[in-house]
Amino acid sequence: MAIAVAGPEIERLIQLLARLPGLGPRSARRAALHLIKKRDALMTPLASALQVAIDKIEVCKTCGNIDTQNPCTVCTDPRRDPSIIVVVADVADLWALERASATNGRYHVLGATLSPLDGVGPDDLTIDALVARAHDPAVGEIILALNATVDGQTTAHYVTDLLQDANVKVTRLAHGVPVGGELDYLDEGTLSAAMRQRTLF
Amino acid sequence: MAIAVAGPEIERLIQLLARLPGLGPRSARRAALHLIKKRDALMTPLASALQVAIDKIEVCKTCGNIDTQNPCTVCTDPRRDPSIIVVVADVADLWALERASATNGRYHVLGATLSPLDGVGPDDLTIDALVARAHDPAVGEIILALNATVDGQTTAHYVTDLLQDANVKVTRLAHGVPVGGELDYLDEGTLSAAMRQRTLF
């Protein structure tokens, strides 16, 4: 794809950068050049930050979060409510909920959503571990924070079925108008869900 | 900007990735997560590729190109025509010309274009070194491959003036219709330049 114009070491760097999401071959070249020009200010710190991450980052054995401690910061935080488990598909979703300070509960990362077309079945998700956690008497509510897509909702139904024997309340995120959103630009499904689930003003 | 949701090591990695051109805070988070998930396949190779680049890459003392050897591969390639020096503003432009196999000559990287508004003056560019190279009797032509912007053309005029004492032909890139371009979408300046500089069919 990229024609070798620089030495093989630079080409290798460009090829690896191009595999990052959001960077194509052209922007990877620009990024490599930027790094080389800012060797002390950026390239050296980035190399060592990557090495630190390689050495230290682990997957939390309780919830599946990514952290430098195991169990992770969220699981060991005594201020978090142990009775709530928020189920997410991916660590990125966990991060998004944390940025929003959306919950005081703890998490469970499934790792993916069910997707028969992509060959993702129940065994590829950490559903067994979730069911085991749900049977802990300290847990009272499981919040399904899954994408409002077909795969996400299929996964939500599947998980809900398996949680029926556990003594927990299973909830899911509300559908509705995004904050700052304009009605004119919303799809019909969102609008009618927002109308059905309207709340007292 | 980014709220700390992961540990400080991951936040540091995200912040450094966000300083790459083409990655904002959000895509830097996605890139960090991608790297962490692909620790062996991507993060470790990237860390070592960066370290190799840090250790090996130098600026060519002849032309200003970036390479792992000094003088660079282009300057030492015996198949390149030593009588032609292609003047570019930046290494990125050199790479672009090399990808296009646009020239068989050697290069001279100015490092920037003159830009009084940004405080970039002649002393910030490697113009003295270019004038010295131009006085080499082996050099017959200096091709100014500078951006067709105000700054690029100002730089071209400035460099041309300083090269008057050297016994070289000074040329510049042609203006015209981009290959694959549609006339309807071209600006007037490009169209009239393409008309003036028309060639025999």
Side-chain angles (χ1 to χ4, degrees):
Chain A
M1 159 87 242
I3 301 165
V5 297
E9 295 87 354
I10 301 178
E11 283 303 322
R12 170 116 180 101
L13 179 59
I14 293 172
Q15 276 167 21
L16 288 167
L17 287 170
R19 287 170 55 192
L20 291 178
L23 287 184
R26 184 175 285 263
S27 45
R29 272 199 303 273
R30 208 172 301 133
L33 206 51
H34 188 77
L35 282 166
I36 292 166
K37 283 180 185 170
K38 301 205 180 271
R39 184 195 305 229
D40 296 335
L42 186 55
M43 186 154 63
T44 306
L46 180 59
S48 62
L50 285 168
Q51 197 54 56
V52 168
I54 292 165
D55 296 339
K56 287 197 168 183
I57 289 175
E58 293 182 71
V59 174
C60 173
K61 62 179 185 248
T62 306
C63 75
N65 188 14
I66 281 168
D67 204 343
T68 46
Q69 61 179 74
N70 192 352
C72 74
T73 321
V74 176
C75 283
T76 53
D77 187 343
R79 292 163 303 180
R80 311 290 295 221
D81 186 345
S83 73
I84 299 174
I85 295 178
V86 180
V87 178
V88 292
D90 196 279
V91 176
D93 303 327
L94 188 162
W95 288 4
L97 290 167
E98 282 297 289
R99 281 197 303 280
S101 302
T103 176
N104 192 36
R106 293 178 180 173
Y107 291 95
H108 189 87
V109 180
L110 291 177
T113 45
L114 295 176
S115 179
L117 283 176
D118 298 327
V120 181
D123 292 343
D124 300 312
L125 276 54
T126 61
I127 297 180
D128 291 349
L130 173 64
V131 173
R133 289 181 73 186
H135 278 87
D136 181 336
V139 173
E141 180 175 2
I142 307 273
I143 304 174
L144 301 177
L146 298 166
N147 288 339
T149 56
V150 171
D151 286 351
Q153 295 311 300
T154 306
T155 309
H157 285 294
Y158 186 88
V159 169
T160 307
D161 282 350
L162 291 180
L163 290 174
Q164 277 188 333
D165 295 338
N167 186 26
V168 290
K169 183 168 65 170
V170 180
T171 56
R172 62 168 188 174
L173 297 184
H175 289 305
V177 182
V179 175
E182 297 182 47
L183 298 192
D184 197 17
Y185 290 91
L186 280 177
D187 62 293
E188 292 78 3
T190 303
L191 273 179
S192 53
M195 186 60 78
R196 277 197 310 276
Q197 301 177 24
R198 64 193 178 277
T199 56
L200 271 175
F201 191 60
Chain B
M1 159 85 240
I3 301 165
V5 297
E9 295 86 356
I10 301 177
E11 283 302 322
R12 170 115 180 102
L13 178 59
I14 294 172
Q15 276 167 22
L16 289 167
L17 287 170
R19 286 169 56 192
L20 291 178
L23 287 183
R26 185 176 284 264
S27 45
R29 273 198 303 272
R30 208 173 301 134
L33 207 50
H34 188 77
L35 282 166
I36 292 165
K37 284 179 184 170
K38 301 204 179 273
R39 186 194 304 230
D40 295 335
L42 187 54
M43 187 155 62
T44 306
L46 181 59
S48 63
L50 284 168
Q51 197 55 54
V52 167
I54 290 166
D55 295 340
K56 287 196 168 184
I57 290 175
E58 293 182 71
V59 173
C60 174
K61 61 178 186 250
T62 305
C63 74
N65 188 13
I66 282 167
D67 204 343
T68 45
Q69 62 180 73
N70 193 352
C72 74
T73 321
V74 177
C75 282
T76 52
D77 186 344
R79 291 164 303 179
R80 311 289 296 220
D81 186 345
S83 73
I84 298 175
I85 295 178
V86 181
V87 178
V88 292
D90 196 279
V91 175
D93 302 328
L94 187 162
W95 287 4
L97 290 167
E98 281 298 290
R99 281 197 303 280
S101 303
T103 176
N104 191 35
R106 295 179 179 173
Y107 290 96
H108 189 88
V109 181
L110 290 178
T113 45
L114 295 176
S115 179
L117 284 176
D118 298 326
V120 181
D123 293 345
D124 300 311
L125 277 53
T126 61
I127 297 179
D128 290 348
L130 173 64
V131 173
R133 290 181 73 187
H135 278 87
D136 181 336
V139 173
E141 180 175 3
I142 307 273
I143 304 174
L144 301 177
L146 298 166
N147 288 338
T149 57
V150 172
D151 286 351
Q153 295 311 301
T154 306
T155 309
H157 284 294
Y158 186 87
V159 168
T160 308
D161 280 350
L162 291 180
L163 289 174
Q164 277 188 332
D165 294 339
N167 187 24
V168 290
K169 183 168 64 170
V170 180
T171 57
R172 61 168 188 175
L173 297 183
H175 290 304
V177 182
V179 174
E182 298 183 45
L183 298 193
D184 197 17
Y185 290 91
L186 280 177
D187 63 294
E188 291 79 5
T190 303
L191 273 179
S192 53
M195 187 59 78
R196 275 197 311 275
Q197 300 177 26
R198 65 192 177 277
T199 56
L200 269 176
F201 192 61

